[in-house]
Amino acid sequence: ALSASAIVAGWLGVAPPAEEEKPAMLQSAYWRDVLAAERLAREHRHPLVGGSEAEAALVREWLHFFNDLAQLLAILCSPNRGLFAKQPLAVRAAAVRAHRGLPAAAQAFAEARPSLRTLDDLLAKAEVGPFLLGSSCTLADVAGVCLLVDAFRFALPPAARDRYGATLRWLKACLDQAAFEPFGGTSCVECMPWAPDDEAAFKSRAAEAFAKLSKRTSLAPPPRKPGVEGRPTNGAALQDPWAAYTARAPTSGSALPSPAPQVLPPPPSRRPPQAAPAATLAAVATATPPQDED
């Protein structure tokens, strides 16, 4: 999977930080990686963490938002509690392919739909710029891409991912940055093909799960500019530009939920139906998204 700390290290031209020998028990692997990337950028006083006091606080708000969203996407994109997270790309893709046919995957997507729609609507405000905070890519963008790219290329069928056109365009803008060159950019990000029957079954299960949700609530993303819409950013009034990073205690979103373990189903006894050729993220990002049903 994409690593925020490795991307930031490449951006700075330094070695990636070593993994913690005894990681915190109540932190997900994603959040530990984001915090390592943040520490690395802070040590080098790089504008990735914000070019001003207010921007630094806003970047931090976005990191917490993506960490909260990671909990909703964990079951969808991390089969068997993340057992395959560090495996080669082909192995991870096969694991998600098997997992996405289970009811738990459709349920996870149904719960994440409102937040993905809210994020997409916010990203559609083109007057702000192609990135979360405007014209410059920041650690907030890096953390968001590392979280969402696998969901869009592995776990969501074409009809679902194409509804988030602004998010796809934002992913493309980020992946086109030089820091993501080792990853190959959007032209090398293939979206996993789906057989028509599999896509129809996933859509049906997701729609049924969405209809049964007791609360269709969305996570509240931060604004894309400091101090807009009357929402204060934590630490914005502090004199120390780095005090914003210690002013906010870890939230409950730091802990990864413990979903019931999922067992990969056995190989199919017959040849699966042929699916359409894989599309690249660059191609789907330029397509016209259909009208959403949210």
Side-chain angles (χ1 to χ4, degrees):
L2 280 178
S3 165
S5 58
I7 292 170
V8 170
W11 205 311
L12 300 173
V14 299
E19 292 188 10
E20 299 179 22
E21 294 184 1
K22 295 181 179 180
M25 294 298 293
L26 297 180
Q27 290 181 345
S28 68
Y30 169 78
W31 188 235
R32 291 196 299 269
D33 180 53
V34 168
L35 292 180
E38 182 191 47
R39 286 193 297 269
L40 192 60
R42 286 178 59 190
E43 289 172 0
H44 290 77
R45 299 283 171 149
H46 196 278
L48 273 171
V49 290
S52 67
E53 176 184 327
E55 282 189 0
L58 189 53
V59 167
R60 182 68 172 187
E61 290 289 322
W62 274 105
L63 298 185
H64 278 276
F65 167 77
F66 284 124
N67 183 49
D68 291 340
L69 184 58
Q71 295 185 59
L72 297 178
L73 296 178
I75 299 176
L76 182 64
C77 303
S78 301
N80 292 60
R81 299 188 182 185
L83 178 65
F84 301 93
K86 295 185 179 181
Q87 296 298 317
L89 183 65
V91 176
R92 289 192 290 118
V96 176
R97 181 186 294 113
H99 173 72
R100 70 192 187 189
L102 300 177
Q107 177 70 30
F109 173 57
E111 294 177 358
R113 269 179 62 181
S115 298
L116 291 174
R117 167 52 47 209
T118 301
L119 175 63
D120 194 76
D121 290 342
L122 190 62
L123 289 170
K125 299 179 179 179
E127 69 275 6
V128 178
F131 304 107
L132 289 175
L133 269 66
S135 59
S136 298
C137 187
T138 67
L139 181 59
D141 297 283
V142 174
V145 170
C146 291
L147 171 65
L148 292 175
V149 70
D150 277 2
F152 276 81
R153 63 176 172 168
F154 290 157
L156 296 184
R161 66 171 180 253
D162 290 349
R163 296 186 182 280
Y164 306 106
T167 304
L168 289 168
R169 291 190 294 273
W170 165 68
L171 287 173
K172 181 180 185 303
C174 293
L175 291 171
D176 283 341
Q177 299 300 297
F180 290 89
E181 283 184 1
F183 183 67
T186 52
S187 61
C188 296
V189 180
E190 288 191 350
C191 297
M192 185 183 294
W194 287 60
D197 290 347
D198 291 342
E199 183 170 358
F202 183 91
K203 180 180 179 181
S204 176
R205 288 192 296 268
E208 182 179 356
F210 187 71
K212 292 181 179 179
L213 288 180
S214 57
K215 294 183 179 180
R216 299 178 183 179
T217 57
S218 168
L219 297 173
R224 296 180 62 188
K225 290 183 179 180
V228 301
E229 299 179 2
R231 173 172 175 158
T233 53
N234 290 339
L238 299 174
Q239 296 302 316
D240 180 3
W242 304 111
Y245 292 96
T246 57
R248 176 172 181 170
T251 65
S252 59
S254 299
L256 186 67
S258 299
Q262 303 290 346
V263 180
L264 293 177
S269 58
R270 59 181 180 180
R271 188 180 183 87
Q274 294 296 318
T280 65
L281 185 60
V284 298
T286 57
T288 302
Q291 186 175 358
D292 205 342
E293 298 173 356
D294 291 353

